């Protein structure tokens, strides 16, 4: 079973993807984590990624599409995967449709975790205070840019999937357990 989790930065996609790994045995594919590994390795890709991530901007579509296409082919994705942070633009969504069709992989659901901007700012502020979890792009200025980019470039994916009848929206303002339960009920249907 293959699933896409959509939602703004701080909506809880990563937390819910980890639950789905534990409960459903699906593999979390976080493009943000892949980029952070590249940054940590000090590779050329990492240097470029750090600059873009710290500015709250998006990496080029072609690069991200190749990255996810290669990753899906790996053995640990055989039982299904959760896309967390991809697609982030309409061209990425279109390329994903094409590459999944080419690989013969169906999509079970596209789930939007909906959270107000004000709540996202509160959550990122707590993540900064609990410093062990803070990331270099966790600051209020970068968050504002990331939210702007989300509304301008990522939110148009919602009608893209809505028009195809595969979009399910859940209330991400609820507790982690409640959100997890809503996701499980979508996956059972
Ligand atoms: P995330 O951990 O998903 O919040 O991603 C952190 C940062 O990585 C984003 O703000 C972008 O700069 C970059 N990034 C992650 N996924 C993508 C993607 N699919 N397309 C472009 N940039 C991405």
């Amino acid at each position: 079973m293959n699933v896409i989790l959509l939602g703004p930065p701080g909506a809880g996609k990563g937390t819910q993807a980890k639950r789905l790994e534990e409960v459903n045995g699906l593999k979390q594919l976080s493009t943000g984590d892949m980029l952070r590994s590249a940054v940590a390795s000090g590779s050329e890709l990492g240097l470029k990624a750090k600059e873009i991530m710290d500015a709250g901007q998006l990496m080029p579509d072609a690069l991200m599409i190749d990255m996810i296409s290669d990753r899906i082919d790996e053995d640990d994705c055989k039982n299904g995967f959760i896309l967390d942070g991809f697609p982030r633009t309409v061209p990425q969504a279109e390329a994903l449709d094409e590459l999944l069709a080419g690989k013969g992989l169906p999509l079970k659901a596209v789930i939007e975790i909906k959270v107000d901007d004000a709540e996202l700012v509160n959550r990122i502020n707590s993540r900064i205070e609990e410093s062990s979890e803070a990331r270099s792009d966790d600051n209020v200025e970068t968050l504002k840019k990331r939210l702007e980019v989300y509304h301008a470039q990522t939110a148009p994916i919602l009608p893209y999937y809505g028009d195809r009848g595969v979009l399910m929206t859940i209330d991400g303002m609820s507790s982690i357990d409640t959100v997890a339960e809503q996701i499980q009920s979508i996956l059972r249907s």
Side-chain angles (χ1 to χ4, degrees):
M1 173 159 70
N2 308 311
V3 182
I4 299 178
L5 291 184
L6 292 179
K13 300 186 296 294
T15 304
Q16 295 299 334
K18 288 201 173 68
R19 288 267 180 125
L20 290 169
E21 275 203 324
E22 284 161 23
V23 177
N24 306 72
L26 307 176
K27 184 71 195 166
Q28 175 191 15
L29 300 184
S30 158
T31 42
D33 284 350
M34 292 175 205
L35 293 171
R36 280 183 285 278
S37 300
V39 172
S41 77
S43 65
E44 204 173 309
L45 168 68
L47 290 177
K48 176 176 177 166
K50 180 162 174 40
E51 203 175 304
I52 291 179
M53 290 163 90
D54 285 353
Q57 300 285 0
L58 295 183
M59 294 288 282
D61 285 336
L63 197 148
M64 300 311 297
I65 292 160
D66 283 350
M67 183 182 278
I68 211 75
S69 176
D70 290 348
R71 187 65 188 82
I72 285 172
D73 290 339
E74 286 181 36
D75 262 3
D76 58 357
C77 293
K78 289 249 153 55
N79 293 330
F81 50 81
I82 312 136
L83 293 177
D84 159 15
F86 185 95
R88 247 179 164 99
T89 63
V90 170
Q92 288 183 18
E94 288 167 346
L96 179 66
D97 274 350
E98 218 171 284
L99 77 85
L100 290 180
K103 294 176 198 289
L105 295 168
L107 258 187
K108 168 74 182 170
V110 179
I111 303 172
E112 176 198 6
I113 307 179
K114 206 179 165 87
V115 178
D116 293 351
D117 284 8
E119 169 69 10
L120 297 170
V121 174
N122 288 338
R123 289 185 186 183
I124 299 279
N125 276 329
S126 335
R127 201 150 81 179
I128 294 165
E129 279 161 26
E130 296 153 21
S131 61
S132 68
E133 278 187 61
R135 305 178 344 196
S136 70
D137 59 351
D138 270 351
N139 59 68
V140 174
E141 205 182 304
T142 306
L143 174 66
K144 281 195 184 137
K145 187 68 212 171
R146 290 166 72 205
L147 283 177
E148 258 177 58
V149 167
Y150 177 78
H151 291 298
Q153 297 187 56
T154 305
I157 293 180
L158 302 170
Y160 174 88
Y161 286 119
D163 290 349
R164 284 159 181 74
V166 290
L167 181 69
M168 307 293 293
T169 298
I170 57 177
D171 178 11
M173 305 285 280
S174 317
S175 69
I176 292 175
D177 284 347
T178 307
V179 173
E181 190 34 58
Q182 290 180 72
I183 294 176
Q184 288 300 332
S185 107
I186 290 171
L187 299 187
R188 278 193 298 268
S189 66

